[in-house]
Amino acid sequence: MQARLRAIAISWCAIASIVYLFDLMAPRLFDATRAGRPFGDDFINYWSAAWLAFHGRAAEIYDWNAFHVFETGVAGTPIDFYHYSYPPILLVLTAPLAALPYVPGLFAWLVSGWCAFYAALRVASPTQGLWLALATPAIFLNAVGGQNGTWTAALLGGGLTHLERRPLLSGVLFGCLAYKPQMGLLLPIALAAGGYWRTIAAAAATVAALFAASVMLFGIELWADYLANIGVLRALILEDGTGVWHRMMSVFVAVRRLGADVTTAYAIQAGVALLAAIGVALLWRRRDCLSPLKYAALVLGTFLATPYLQDYDLVVGAFVAVWVHEEMADRPRIALTTAGGVLLLPLFGASLASGTGLAIGPFVLMPAFAAVAWQAVRVLTPPAATLSPRKDLQISKNTVSLSP
């Protein structure tokens, strides 16, 4: 298994590196190939926001026109409309970017994010972590988009892998994940159901510290600007979805692409989220449930619960693959199908959605969640007791007959 994974990882890395470098250099070599996309794509948002925040111009971050003008200057060429949709606490977490020039900052962002992801994955899988960290397709999409998927995976996956042994560290990691709250949607439910109160306290303290730091550095007005933008961004990106729906893997977008209106899509999304939350709570309240199954159910349940889920967010699916392989070894075909589906969904989901108009994310993630829940039920359900002969009818070999 490890030799096969190593071969896949090496082949994938060679192909993905060539494709990534071509995609990265295309704007400079062929102006028409990626018209409107800056070097490093979405990374321009993270770098620009950090630079502005720590050069006394934080007010421009949530001013769409001013932010676009600044980013156009950074790119040195006309670009499409980009925006910063994250809360001000991310400005605190990404402060080092403000000290780096743009291009070195891009590679520092991608390399450090991968290293953090690998460090967390290695804890979950010491023997196969390296090759899986290299071969996970979502990492390629994350790099092409200059996105934060590896950081999200490091925080969520790392927090779960350390939960039993280092609950306070897990709380700090979960607290840092507050920069992307939709990826921690079910965490409070799971932690409360499992009684991880120290982790909850550490997470709350971390969020409070990040919030306080952002207010001290940039003022409370920046939070007001951020909150004022959320509703408009939700309508443009999620509900309307022009230009980005094909990359969305959520139930909400799948229902919208089938023709449902916004209200119906939200209602169905809420129903699925409620079922996922109930399933996660029931598993996490059982102390005798194997931890990897609980972790996998939580991550998959989060995928189903959030209406905003892009393909690069599925980097954390590598942890699901590890946990499924570990705890479903007695059902190898189901384990392979579940893990393979979660890993390959980011690679093919967007292209299939572009070509067919069908968002396949829920059709992969729902069966995966059901498979993990089914395995957990199997493990928790004791086998039927086998009938044994009555002791009073057993005759020992040493019994001496007293009859004549």
Side-chain angles (χ1 to χ4, degrees), residues 81 175 271 322 340 371:
F81 178 80
V322 168

Side-chain angles (χ1 to χ4, degrees), residues 367-382:
F369 181 82
V372 170
W374 170 76
Q375 179 69 4
V377 171
R378 285 184 63 246
V379 172
L380 292 173
T381 304

Side-chain angles (χ1 to χ4, degrees), residues 7-103:
I8 294 173
I10 293 173
S11 301
W12 170 253
C13 285
I15 296 171
S17 297
I18 295 172
V19 175
Y20 173 67
L21 290 175
F22 177 80
D23 182 82
L24 195 64
M25 298 304 298
R28 299 188 176 188
L29 299 176
F30 313 100
D31 290 342
T33 303
R34 288 200 327 173
R37 290 178 62 192
F39 187 83
D41 210 13
D42 286 340
F43 173 72
I44 197 170
N45 294 326
Y46 305 112
W47 186 89
S48 297
W51 194 96
L52 288 170
F54 289 93
H55 285 80
R57 298 168 60 181
E60 297 177 37
I61 295 173
Y62 299 109
D63 182 330
W64 293 338
N65 292 327
F67 195 63
H68 179 68
V69 169
F70 179 81
E71 290 191 320
T72 301
V74 173
T77 184
I79 60 174
D80 292 336
F81 178 80
Y82 283 71
H83 62 275
Y84 193 74
S85 57
Y86 300 94
I89 62 173
L90 185 58
L91 299 172
V92 179
L93 296 172
T94 57
L97 293 178
L100 295 173
Y102 182 80
V103 174

Side-chain angles (χ1 to χ4, degrees), residues 177 180-189 273 298 301-302 304-307:
L177 189 60
K180 202 163 191 175
Q182 69 268 26
M183 295 302 293
L185 200 59
L186 298 186
L187 267 174
I189 295 173
L298 173 59
T302 300
L304 294 173
T306 175

Side-chain angles (χ1 to χ4, degrees), residues 100-343:
L100 295 173
Y102 182 80
V103 174
L106 169 63
F107 292 105
W109 170 258
L110 295 177
V111 172
S112 59
W114 182 87
C115 290
F117 164 67
Y118 166 58
L121 189 61
R122 185 176 58 183
V123 176
S125 179
T127 58
Q128 299 178 3
L130 174 61
W131 303 112
L132 187 58
L134 292 172
T136 299
I139 292 178
F140 167 71
L141 300 176
N142 180 80
V144 169
Q147 268 293 347
N148 55 43
T150 50
W151 288 107
T152 300
L155 295 174
L156 180 54
L160 290 172
T161 56
H162 288 291
L163 183 59
E164 298 295 340
R165 291 171 295 178
R166 305 177 71 180
L168 296 181
L169 173 61
S170 291
V172 172
L173 295 176
F174 292 152
C176 290
L177 189 60
Y179 83 89
K180 202 163 191 175
Q182 69 268 26
M183 295 302 293
L185 200 59
L186 298 186
L187 267 174
I189 295 173
L191 295 175
Y196 295 96
W197 304 113
R198 289 202 298 166
T199 301
I200 292 174
T206 301
V207 173
L210 289 172
F211 174 77
S214 69
V215 172
M216 290 175 59
L217 289 170
F218 315 119
I220 193 65
E221 297 82 7
L222 202 63
W223 277 92
D225 295 340
Y226 162 69
L227 294 174
N229 283 357
I230 288 180
V232 178
L233 291 174
R234 183 181 67 245
L236 289 175
I237 300 174
L238 182 61
E239 298 173 356
D240 175 53
T242 303
V244 297
W245 262 2
H246 66 290
R247 299 191 65 177
M248 293 287 190
M249 303 292 154
S250 68
V251 172
F252 176 87
V253 171
V255 174
R256 286 285 284 140
R257 299 206 75 162
L258 289 174
D261 58 31
V262 171
T263 302
T264 301
Y266 273 128
I268 295 175
Q269 175 68 77
V272 172
L274 179 60
L275 292 175
I278 292 173
V280 167
L282 290 175
L283 290 180
W284 277 70
R285 69 188 296 269
R286 292 289 298 266
R287 283 290 186 174
D288 52 343
C289 181
L290 298 175
S291 293
L293 292 176
K294 294 193 298 186
Y295 302 160
L298 173 59
V299 173
L300 291 171
T302 300
F303 290 164
L304 294 173
T306 175
Y308 191 96
L309 181 72
Q310 294 212 42
D311 49 9
Y312 58 80
D313 290 323
L314 271 64
V315 173
V316 72
F319 288 89
V320 175
V322 168
W323 295 323
V324 165
H325 175 72
E326 178 181 342
E327 297 301 336
M328 297 179 68
D330 59 333
R331 295 292 188 274
R333 291 186 180 179
I334 297 178
L336 181 62
T337 301
T338 302
V342 174
L343 289 174

